[in-house]
């Protein structure tokens, strides 16, 4: 097992003293590899807290460049990086926070042809994407590859989180079999999003990832957590694997990945609710 340096022991001391983590758990985090898809509103807090916790290798997938309208919620980026690749901006921020980790960047859009080679190098995948085609592609690829996926979504003052463990619980399609009809869900340009909401949801996603890596606690597998900030409450919806699910069911009809053509209209934020 990889050893911790004295600097790392001091850096992570407040979590190393946790009875269900300790030095062994911290070494486990150091050896872990997590892929964050989307360096926006959700991916920002996810990646930032995973880096702070000492997750040894973090992959960042994002094909976009930093825009001024991103900065209200996408805390990995800053005003002086406008126009810069989000993946590279994220890498710069994460390494400034924790130089002991490795950050791999993928400044590209995921497709049926490149997604499996990318996710196969990681233990856990985090979804923080801004469009339905990538959301469904990511779900299908993680199910087929047997990779845990921590999914999140935000819109206006609301958010959701679910953890998908192939073979142990429902996938995203078990709950939402197909993308909604065009126009059924407003984009963030149309409906807006309060900047702190992705922060709340992203931190929960990061917590789920850490629990998965350490094998502690109870994850949101089989549970959809819904957050309403205006009323300041969380509620859970129990979800079960659908035997008729088109991708993880008993007789799946989706056996090969495909690039979906459904596109959300207008400018959208990272991870809008379905």
């Amino acid at each position: 097992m990889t050893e911790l340096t004295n600097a790392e022991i001091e850096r992570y001391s407040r979590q190393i003293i946790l009875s269900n983590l300790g030095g062994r758990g911290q070494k486990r985090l150091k050896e872990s590899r997590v892929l964050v898809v989307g360096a926006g509103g959700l991916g920002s807090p996810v990646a930032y807290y995973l880096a702070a916790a000492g997750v040894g290798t973090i992959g960042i997938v994002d094909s976009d460049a930093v825009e001024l309208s991103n900065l209200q919620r996408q805390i990995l980026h800053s005003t002086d990086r406008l126009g810069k690749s989000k993946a590279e901006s994220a890498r710069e921020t994460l390494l400034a926070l924790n130089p002991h980790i490795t950050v791999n960047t993928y400044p590209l859009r995921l497709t049926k042809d490149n997604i499996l080679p990318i996710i196969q190098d990681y233990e856990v995948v985090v979804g923080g994407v801004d469009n339905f085609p990538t959301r469904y592609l990511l779900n299908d690829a993680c199910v087929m590859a047997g990779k845990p996926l921590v999914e999140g979504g935000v819109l206006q003052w609301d958010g959701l989180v679910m953890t998908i463990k192939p073979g142990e619980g429902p996938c995203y399609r078990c709950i939402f079999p197909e993308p909604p009809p065009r126009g059924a869900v407003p984009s963030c340009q149309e409906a807006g999003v309060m900047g702190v909401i992705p922060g709340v949801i992203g931190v929960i996603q990061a917590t789920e990832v850490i629990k998965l890596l350490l094998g502690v606690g109870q994850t949101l597998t089989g549970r959809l957590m819904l957050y309403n900030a205006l009323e300041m409450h969380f509620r859970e919806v129990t979800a079960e694997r659908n035997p008729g699910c088109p991708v993880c069911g008993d007789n799946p009809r989706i056996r090969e990945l495909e690039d979906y053509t459904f596109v959300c209209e207008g400018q959208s934020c990272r991870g809008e609710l379905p």
Side-chain angles (χ1 to χ4, degrees), residues 4 8-30 48-56 98 210 214:
L4 301 173
E8 288 174 309
I9 291 173
E10 181 177 358
R11 176 182 289 266
Y12 308 126
S13 60
R14 297 300 188 274
Q15 59 192 42
I16 288 176
I17 62 176
L18 292 171
S19 59
N20 55 357
L21 196 146
R24 180 175 292 275
Q26 192 62 56
K27 293 175 184 177
R28 171 73 182 98
L29 292 179
K30 183 175 181 177
Y48 203 80
Y49 273 98
L50 293 181
V55 172
N98 189 348
I210 291 171
L214 296 176

Side-chain angles (χ1 to χ4, degrees), residues 46-266:
V46 170
Y48 203 80
Y49 273 98
L50 293 181
V55 172
T57 301
I58 299 174
I60 302 289
V61 180
D62 201 305
S63 63
D64 293 338
V66 180
E67 299 178 2
L68 188 59
S69 62
N70 301 150
L71 302 184
Q72 158 255 14
R73 63 197 179 278
Q74 301 181 16
I75 61 172
L76 284 177
H77 316 302
S78 56
T79 305
D80 61 352
R81 297 186 198 158
L82 293 177
K84 187 170 186 175
S85 160
K86 283 187 181 179
E88 292 304 321
S89 174
R91 181 178 185 275
E92 186 175 332
T93 299
L94 298 177
L95 292 180
L97 172 67
N98 189 348
H100 301 288
I101 66 172
T102 298
V103 180
N104 299 327
T105 59
Y106 305 89
L108 49 78
R109 182 170 293 277
L110 293 178
T111 70
K112 64 181 179 62
D113 297 316
N114 64 24
I115 188 170
L116 289 176
I118 292 175
I119 70 173
Q120 71 180 1
D121 290 332
Y122 295 89
E123 299 170 65
V124 180
V125 180
V126 181
V129 301
D130 62 354
N131 61 84
F132 287 109
T134 304
R135 187 187 298 276
Y136 280 82
L137 176 66
L138 189 59
N139 174 81
D140 298 352
C142 285
V143 169
M144 293 179 186
K147 300 286 184 178
L149 170 63
V150 181
E151 182 61 78
V154 295
L155 188 67
Q156 297 184 332
W157 295 82
D158 300 293
L160 67 79
V161 187
M162 65 180 296
T163 294
I164 298 162
K165 295 178 71 176
E168 297 185 31
C171 75
Y172 191 79
R173 282 189 186 271
C174 288
I175 305 170
F176 309 105
E178 300 292 340
R182 183 182 298 276
V185 178
S187 69
C188 286
Q189 183 186 37
E190 298 166 326
V193 60
M194 175 51 62
V196 297
I197 307 303
V200 174
I201 298 302
V203 167
I204 294 174
Q205 287 180 279
T207 306
E208 288 288 283
V209 171
I210 291 171
K211 291 190 298 179
L212 285 168
L213 295 174
L214 296 176
V216 300
Q218 183 179 5
T219 65
L220 288 170
T221 304
R223 296 182 293 155
L224 187 66
M225 176 176 284
L226 304 173
Y227 171 59
N228 181 290
L230 287 179
E231 298 181 11
M232 195 49 70
H233 71 71
F234 290 88
R235 66 185 180 94
E236 289 184 8
V237 176
T238 301
E240 298 183 355
R241 174 180 168 272
N242 177 9
C245 174
V247 69
C248 78
D250 296 339
N251 296 290
R253 60 178 174 79
I254 299 176
R255 297 181 179 274
E256 295 183 357
L257 297 176
E258 60 179 288
D259 291 324
Y260 301 100
T261 57
F262 179 92
V263 178
C264 296
E265 298 178 348

